[in-house]
Amino acid sequence: MLGLDISSTSVKLLELSKSGSDYRVESYGVEPLPENAVVEKNISDVDGVGEAIQRLIERCKTKVKFAAVAVAGSAVITKTIEMNAAFSEDEMENQLQVEADQYIPYPLEEVALDFEVQGPSPRNEEQVEVLIAACRRENVEMREAALELGGLKAKVVDIEAHCMQRSFELVRGQFTSDNDDSDDDEENDQVIAIVDIGATMTTLSVLMAGGAPYTREQLFGGKQLTEEIQRRYSLSVEEAGLAKKQGGLPEDYETEVLQPFKEAVVQQVTRSLQFFYSSSAYDDVDHIILAGGTSSIDGLADMVAAKLGTPCSIANPFLNMSLSSKVNEGNLSADAPAMMIACGLALRSFD
């Protein structure tokens, strides 16, 4: 399956293959979306998204016809409940249909519902813990429709935070191995914060041993930097976006525009973590990983680490993967932090 991440400003595609335990990037690409085609993670222009997917497929020259897509954590209600361990999958499904209105505030016919058995209940050995996830059906159908217009079929609809968690497994070794005297159990008990700074949204996902990730979304992103460049230097949106990536702005850009934006990012990270601490039993995280297009701004990870006193690195899920001849290594490396969700989706091929 292709991993297809539909974000607020672009569609990202990733195709992976696997031999033994090694992954290889077969194709990848990023295609910009029309303005406001996706607003706050909801598709508002199905045709615009479908056409972008079609262009992406043609450019990446992939033959794969199935794809995995994700919905935002804020669109999904997840809950862990206990059920009789003797139940079959069908019996669980029937019981959930009967009891769903206890957990979900929408009429059942408007909801896409799924569940997964997590394992035995620690409180009662005759029960199992079951994770249920529900989201409005229209969120799923809009994504399916956009994929169909692009010539693909949606095989899996996932949740963004769970994709992050899956990609994180590829990144984990990059910073825990520095600490060779720690045993595996300790590594798995670490509390990891992944801060995904997109164009308009910043999403915090906190991964803890066992259990679903904590997620929180805030309206803040790289678009604010683009808009500030546009305003200060009287550029068009396109010119500002290019200048942000390629440089060539006046000398005062670093101090007057970029530095304040970096400080605003650090503030957002701090605030997101404060929300997490106030709603959980934790008051610290072991490591912060920055993801999303904005995270590759020079010096940002060091600034976060210095301000929060917590080690901070930039996500690159492709570090130990080989690449097919049609993948440009430099481009992939530059886009890597923004490809975490696409990567988590592409990994669903090997479940």
Side-chain angles (χ1 to χ4, degrees):
M1 279 185 296
L2 298 170
L4 208 68
D5 174 20
I6 302 169
S7 72
S8 56
T9 53
S10 66
V11 179
K12 303 173 192 75
L13 174 149
L14 180 68
E15 179 188 347
L16 296 177
S17 62
K18 188 179 185 187
S19 119
S21 61
D22 298 327
Y23 295 103
R24 173 176 140 119
V25 180
E26 295 297 342
S27 62
Y28 110 97
V30 181
E31 180 67 29
L33 283 171
E35 188 82 16
N36 297 326
V38 176
V39 180
E40 291 180 27
K41 308 272 178 106
N42 294 316
I43 296 178
S44 51
D45 172 6
V46 174
D47 292 345
V49 176
E51 285 158 17
I53 292 171
Q54 199 173 4
R55 289 195 295 275
L56 196 50
I57 300 285
E58 283 164 13
R59 204 174 70 236
C60 293
K61 298 182 171 52
T62 173
K63 301 277 188 288
V64 181
K65 287 291 172 224
F66 290 107
V69 290
V71 290
S74 57
V76 180
I77 295 166
T78 54
K79 206 170 182 63
T80 303
I81 60 170
E82 297 199 348
M83 296 184 91
N84 187 330
F87 277 0
S88 70
E89 286 238 328
D90 288 345
E91 287 170 323
M92 281 186 182
E93 191 163 344
N94 292 336
Q95 173 125 3
L96 273 177
Q97 296 289 353
V98 174
E99 295 180 2
D101 56 357
Q102 293 177 35
Y103 314 114
I104 298 153
Y106 310 123
L108 257 191
E109 60 275 9
E110 290 176 17
V111 168
L113 181 73
D114 204 355
F115 67 94
E116 188 176 79
V117 177
Q118 301 291 290
S121 158
R123 286 167 292 282
N124 179 349
E125 56 193 38
E126 288 172 11
Q127 301 270 44
V128 284
E129 287 194 332
V130 178
L131 175 70
I132 56 173
C135 117
R136 279 181 174 269
R137 198 176 283 282
E138 63 185 9
N139 273 342
V140 173
E141 286 168 353
M142 294 286 249
R143 280 165 172 72
E144 288 177 331
L147 260 66
E148 220 157 280
L149 284 173
L152 295 173
K153 191 159 177 46
K155 204 171 177 185
V156 167
V157 179
D158 208 326
I159 302 168
E160 286 183 359
H162 293 238
C163 300
M164 276 289 183
Q165 195 167 18
R166 215 169 294 115
S167 296
F168 168 70
E169 292 308 321
L170 298 172
V171 178
R172 183 194 287 276
Q174 294 169 24
F175 60 84
T176 46
S177 51
D178 310 342
N179 197 354
D180 285 335
D181 50 355
S182 72
D183 59 22
D184 284 348
D185 289 346
E186 240 177 76
E187 267 183 29
N188 293 333
D189 283 347
Q190 287 198 319
V191 181
I192 308 293
I194 301 179
V195 185
D196 184 359
I197 312 162
T200 57
M201 281 277 202
T202 294
T203 308
L204 168 73
S205 307
V206 184
L207 314 180
M208 299 152 278
Y214 164 94
T215 58
R216 183 182 172 85
E217 289 171 4
Q218 282 179 283
L219 271 174
F220 175 85
K223 198 171 171 188
Q224 274 155 284
L225 178 58
T226 313
E227 282 167 359
E228 184 54 30
I229 294 171
Q230 205 185 329
R231 196 178 61 79
R232 184 174 273 264
Y233 304 113
S234 308
L235 301 172
S236 70
V237 180
E238 287 74 22
E239 291 166 341
L242 272 175
K244 181 169 86 169
K245 283 197 176 79
Q246 296 170 354
L249 284 161
E251 271 179 24
D252 68 352
Y253 168 65
E254 290 281 330
T255 53
E256 297 292 310
V257 180
L258 189 59
Q259 191 59 26
F261 177 75
K262 279 157 64 168
E263 283 160 11
V265 172
V266 175
Q267 211 176 349
Q268 287 294 330
V269 174
T270 311
R271 193 177 295 162
S272 298
L273 285 169
Q274 292 301 342
F275 274 114
F276 166 65
Y277 300 145
S278 65
S279 64
S280 73
Y282 297 94
D283 55 10
D284 198 7
V285 295
D286 295 298
H287 203 101
I288 297 169
I289 293 175
L290 298 183
T294 305
S295 65
S296 29
I297 289 177
D298 217 24
L300 189 58
D302 296 341
M303 202 164 152
V304 171
K307 182 87 174 74
L308 292 166
T310 305
C312 180
S313 20
I314 293 174
N316 180 357
F318 308 116
L319 206 60
N320 301 315
M321 293 190 191
S322 56
L323 310 180
S324 88
S325 56
K326 63 179 177 180
V327 174
N328 177 313
E329 191 174 347
N331 291 351
L332 181 65
S333 168
D335 285 329
M339 298 291 291
M340 287 285 279
I341 290 172
C343 188
L345 287 165
L347 288 170
R348 286 296 299 261
S349 302
F350 314 110
D351 283 358

